[in-house]
Structure formats: C-alpha cells, structure tokens
Amino acid sequence: MKIKDIKVFVCCPGRNFVTVKIITDHGVFGLGDATLNGRELAVVAYLEEHVIPCLIGRDAHQIEDIWQYLFKGAYWQNGAVSMAAIGAIDMALWDVKGKVANLPVYQLLGGKSRRGITVYAHVNGESIEDVLNHLGKAIKEGYKVVRLQCTIPGTEGTYGTLGGKKNYYELQGNRPLPPEHPWSTNQYLNFIPELFKRAREKFGYDIELCHDIHSRLTPIEAAQLGKMLEPYRLKFLEDAVTYDNPEGYKVIRNHTTTPVALGEKFNTIWDAKPLIENQYIDFVRTAATHGGGITSLKKLADFASLYHVRLAPHGAPDLSPICFMAHMHVDLWAPNFGVQEFIGFGTPELNDVFSFSAKFKDGEIYIKDKPGLGVDFNEEAAKQYPYKRSYLPVTRLNDGTLWNW
Ligand code: GCO
Ligand code: MG
C-alpha cells in the first residue's frame, strides 16, 4: 500500500490548526495534527518543501522506518518544527494502519489497559472566590482531578486565567504582535498557597488538584513553593522551571515531596531521558504532535514505566482533535498512564471542522471503537475558517526584563 498523496490544510476555527492528510493508493487515508502554536506556517513549509516529496510512493505500512527516515535521515534532528511535522505524519500512518486492519489504534498498541481515561479539567478565575465557585461546578460535573489557576492580584493576564477573554485564556485570532504580560514572582509566591489552602478547606481532599507554574520560577523558588504546598497534597506541580537544565529539577526534588510534571515542550525521548532516569519527575507530559507522534509516545511510555513515571499528555486547545484522539488511544493502552489534560470537546466552529466520538462520564472519557484514530476532518468546512496570524503572549518582569511566559 503506497503513499499516493499528502495534503496539508491550515484553518482557524477559533484558533489555528495544521492538519495532514495521507492518501494511499488503496483509497484509505489517515489524518495527523501538525499544529505548532504561533509558528504554524513554519511546519507547513517544512512538510511541503522537505518531507512530503520524500514520502510519495513509500509503503504506508512502514511506520517505524518512515519515522527513522524523517528523523535520522534529515541529519538535522530534533526541534519543535521538524518534530511536529514528523508527529503529524506518524499519527496519520497509524490512522491508516488502523483503518486497514479495521481496528482502533489502541488495539494495535497492545489493547486496553483500562476502562476509561481519567482527565483533569482546567479551573481558573480572577479571584480565589471565583476559582472556588468554578471548582464546585467541576466537582458536580464529575471531575476527579482539576487544575487550579488564579489571577495574582495586580498581575493582569496571569497564565491560565481569563483576564477579560471570553472563552479560553489563550484564545487566538487577530493578534498582530505578541501581547505582553507583567510578572512578579514575589506576589505569586505570596498568593498561591492561599488558593490551595482555601480549596482544601472548602472541598476537602477527595478532589485531586494540580497547578501549572508555566516555567515562571527558578529551581529554588519552585522548591519553596512545592514545600509550601505540601499540606494541600497536590497531584502535581507542572512546568516548575524550564527543562533545559535537568539539574534544576534535582534541586526541586531534594527539597519537596510535591510531585512534579513536565514535558509539554519535549520534542524527543532524549529531552525526557535525564529527567526520567534520575527520577526527577513523576509525570511526563509530551504530546503526540510535538513529540514525534504515536511511535514516540509508545517508546516514551515504556521507558518511563521503568522509573515509575506516568503519562499525563498535554491537552491544551492548540492541539487539534486529531492529537486528542491519538492521546486517547495511547492513554487507553499505556500501562503507566496517569491522567489526561482535557479542556472540553470544543466549540461549534471546531466541531464543524473536526468530528470524533468521545463522551465524558464521572471524570473519565470513553471513545467509540472505530478503525484508526476515529477522527474526521471536513475539508470544505475548513475553508470557511482561514488562517489568522497569531502569537502566544510574552512575559516581562516589573522592571521590563523579558521572562518565561
Ligand atoms: C497547558 C499548557 C498550555 C500552553 C500552550 C502553548 O498546560 O495546557 O501550558 O496552556 O501554554 O499549549 O501553546
Ligand atoms: Mg502547561
């Protein structure tokens, strides 16, 4: 079964997505997500100019060889742009294989290890009261794990909060240049323990809680925060510091028993390797799109399992439903799955372009057994939502120094 054609679509049903469609000479097609938030067209060029011409005529069944060919064969390895391109091709090939085998992808990985996929919801607000109200609603809806983010008083545009935006804190569109947000570590460290204290006072310890620092702290500051949060027993603290220096995570580990999650920006298993083998982290958050596809996640899961590290795949809205469904299959299979980030099933615009069958019940997601990934892409609908150049924000300290957003 040969690869006959590969198409790349860019659309913006609320935010930008890059979608890859691999068409085989048997008529079967597969879909992949190549979205790299704020740098979408770089991946399109990488695919169209450098990847697709090499793949036409190749055997669509040789997923592993194609992965190696695109990774090792390029000489220039790693990097978010190239790995998003490889991730999309890889997902699309697993989709094709599943359709040909007439089996859902999780069956090809080894079958189900669990009944449903436990997810964590985003709960955010402009004040502690606001967050607690939303947390109460999330618990009523059935969530068992929730991530809490709150505006730090005086710090407009705090990561993870709405700050006047209607739907989602990172909602894109018509941003001619990156917006800039202020940041004060001191105010943040003064405030966050109170948020979790109040959440525990009001809702007790049955609900599992997480928090995303979004790489705003230094290792010793993150260690301090982890220690201050110990009485509130978090499921994990996410992205405490940037991951470029794994030793930073050693500092955190040496000072606190608050569990740590990392990896939404990992592009390869080698990014994760020192953090996992030194047991500096508890959850690895690599996404199929940014980490080179299902083939990569399969290896990462097996490697992580040797060190009691569990998967908590990235599930932000800048990953398309194709990546979401790829995660559903990996999560169903992986013996060391932990929890899946989940931001809901999407807006009407999104569901106009992408369709998939999944339902939420009692904190878990269940997918319908369909051959392949079980997701569809409506090319005609996508044309109604043309690409809009857009950026993630940047952060500056009060004195103007550029900081990690
Ligand atoms: C998360 C992430 C996202 C990222 C986004 C960047 O935990 O879901 O941190 O919110 O900021 O994916 O494009
Ligand atoms: Mg995050």
Side-chain angles (χ1 to χ4, degrees):
M1 183 181 55
K2 292 206 161 69
I3 297 175
K4 195 169 123 199
D5 194 9
I6 305 180
K7 290 186 174 138
V8 183
F9 304 90
V10 188
C11 63
C12 187
R15 64 183 313 133
N16 293 317
F17 293 111
V18 179
T19 301
V20 165
K21 182 174 184 177
I22 295 185
I23 300 149
T24 66
D25 61 357
H26 285 202
V28 178
F29 70 87
L31 296 169
D33 175 31
T35 309
L36 185 61
N37 197 3
R39 294 292 185 270
E40 296 86 356
L41 299 189
V43 187
V44 175
Y46 192 87
L47 280 161
E48 289 184 343
E49 288 299 316
H50 308 295
V51 170
I52 294 172
C54 307
L55 297 185
I56 306 301
R58 280 180 192 276
D59 181 354
H61 272 308
Q62 293 188 0
I63 302 179
E64 184 68 45
D65 183 67
I66 289 177
W67 193 98
Q68 300 291 341
Y69 177 75
L70 293 177
F71 186 77
K72 290 188 182 149
Y75 183 61
W76 311 109
Q77 290 169 0
N78 314 336
V81 172
S82 50
M83 295 314 289
I86 295 176
I89 297 289
D90 184 80
M91 264 179 249
L93 291 174
W94 280 97
D95 193 20
V96 166
K97 200 184 269 303
K99 284 172 178 165
V100 172
N102 200 26
L103 288 171
V105 167
Y106 72 80
Q107 293 291 18
L108 308 179
L109 295 171
K112 275 189 195 182
S113 297
R114 58 193 49 77
R115 188 188 58 230
I117 297 151
T118 301
V119 292
Y120 71 89
H122 285 196
V123 160
N124 51 49
E126 302 308 300
S127 64
I128 293 185
E129 272 314 305
D130 201 16
V131 174
L132 298 185
N133 281 340
H134 290 130
L135 176 55
K137 281 186 202 145
I139 294 172
K140 277 214 181 92
E141 284 167 34
Y143 286 98
K144 304 284 185 275
V145 193
V146 164
R147 179 189 104 161
L148 302 187
Q149 306 292 138
C150 186
T151 295
I152 311 304
T155 309
E156 178 201 317
T158 308
Y159 166 78
T161 60
L162 288 174
K165 290 175 238 80
K166 271 193 245 121
N167 290 316
Y168 190 73
Y169 57 90
E170 283 161 24
L171 201 68
Q172 297 184 312
N174 300 323
R175 272 188 190 164
L177 288 171
E180 301 208 351
H181 292 163
W183 178 252
S184 159
T185 297
N186 192 38
Q187 283 173 351
Y188 173 75
L189 291 177
N190 286 339
F191 179 77
I192 287 296
E194 183 64 17
L195 170 68
F196 284 88
K197 180 168 175 272
R198 298 264 307 273
R200 286 305 187 202
E201 279 167 4
K202 186 153 186 193
F203 296 102
Y205 283 76
D206 281 350
I207 182 78
E208 295 193 76
L209 300 176
C210 317
H211 176 65
D212 190 350
I213 302 176
H214 225 254
S215 311
R216 300 288 166 84
L217 299 179
T218 65
I220 200 68
E221 289 163 353
Q224 279 176 7
L225 181 62
K227 234 176 166 165
M228 289 190 282
L229 293 176
E230 275 171 23
Y232 316 120
R233 210 157 46 72
L234 267 62
K235 188 171 183 75
F236 60 69
L237 259 186
E238 178 185 333
D239 276 357
V241 300
T242 53
Y243 69 90
D244 33 22
N245 175 22
E247 294 298 300
Y249 277 84
K250 184 178 181 181
V251 173
I252 301 171
R253 220 14 157 209
N254 283 344
H255 289 95
T256 179
T257 55
T258 295
V260 175
L262 181 69
E264 67 181 47
K265 295 208 281 183
F266 288 168
N267 301 130
T268 69
I269 195 168
W270 292 279
D271 291 332
K273 185 174 176 284
L275 289 139
I276 291 175
E277 69 192 357
N278 287 304
Q279 304 195 91
Y280 293 160
I281 62 173
D282 303 280
F283 293 90
V284 60
R285 295 196 13 86
T286 310
T289 297
H290 303 134
I294 292 172
T295 297
S296 299
L297 284 194
K298 181 165 68 75
K299 289 178 192 177
L300 179 63
D302 282 335
F303 174 65
S305 74
L306 303 181
Y307 300 91
H308 306 276
V309 173
R310 287 178 289 165
L311 298 191
H314 191 198
D318 48 290
L319 295 156
S320 90
I322 302 170
C323 179
F324 171 78
M325 286 305 290
H327 287 167
M328 293 297 104
H329 292 273
V330 172
D331 296 347
L332 270 179
W333 154 73
N336 54 329
F337 167 71
V339 66
Q340 171 68 53
E341 182 179 19
F342 176 58
I343 40 80
F345 292 123
T347 58
E349 295 104 299
L350 186 84
N351 296 318
D352 200 16
V353 176
F354 297 94
S355 46
F356 54 100
S357 294
K359 69 168 202 252
F360 172 85
K361 193 172 179 282
D362 295 334
E364 293 173 13
I365 290 187
Y366 297 83
I367 59 167
K368 260 226 174 96
D369 267 1
K370 285 195 173 166
L373 292 175
V375 59
D376 256 314
F377 176 73
N378 184 332
E379 292 174 38
E380 282 313 304
K383 285 184 192 151
Q384 290 159 38
Y385 306 100
Y387 167 76
K388 288 185 190 157
R389 181 156 55 91
S390 194
Y391 295 97
L392 282 165
V394 298
T395 292
R396 288 188 190 275
L397 302 182
N398 291 338
D399 69 356
T401 307
L402 196 93
W403 200 240
N404 303 309
W405 177 72

